[in-house]
Amino acid sequence: MNPVEIEEAVSRINRKTAYSLVADNKLPGFRAGGTERFRRMDIENWIEREASPKKEKKR
């Protein structure tokens, strides 16, 4: 997947956000042929992790 395909698959994230998240190592991606690429399964897993409620820490 490339950033345009992510933008189409995940309607809440735009291309610039995808690039920014990759640069910050928050989105699983890799460079191939001078462009960012993404595995669909990695993106789907990332979406699940980000969408799931965060567990609160015990004090």
Side-chain angles (χ1 to χ4, degrees):
M1 297 177 78
N2 62 38
V4 175
E5 292 168 328
I6 289 177
E7 184 177 29
E8 293 169 357
V10 186
S11 62
R12 295 184 184 160
I13 187 171
N14 68 36
R15 193 174 329 165
K16 289 181 181 181
T17 301
Y19 282 120
S20 177
L21 289 171
V22 169
D24 293 340
N25 292 319
K26 293 180 181 179
L27 184 65
F30 58 97
R31 290 194 63 84
T35 62
E36 296 293 339
R37 305 300 285 179
F38 307 89
R39 287 187 275 273
R40 184 172 299 276
M41 184 184 341
D42 292 343
I43 298 303
E44 289 171 353
N45 290 336
W46 178 80
I47 292 168
E48 286 298 317
R49 283 193 313 272
E50 291 299 310
S52 64
K54 306 285 186 213
K55 293 182 180 178
E56 292 186 29
K57 293 181 181 179
K58 291 183 179 179
R59 294 182 184 207

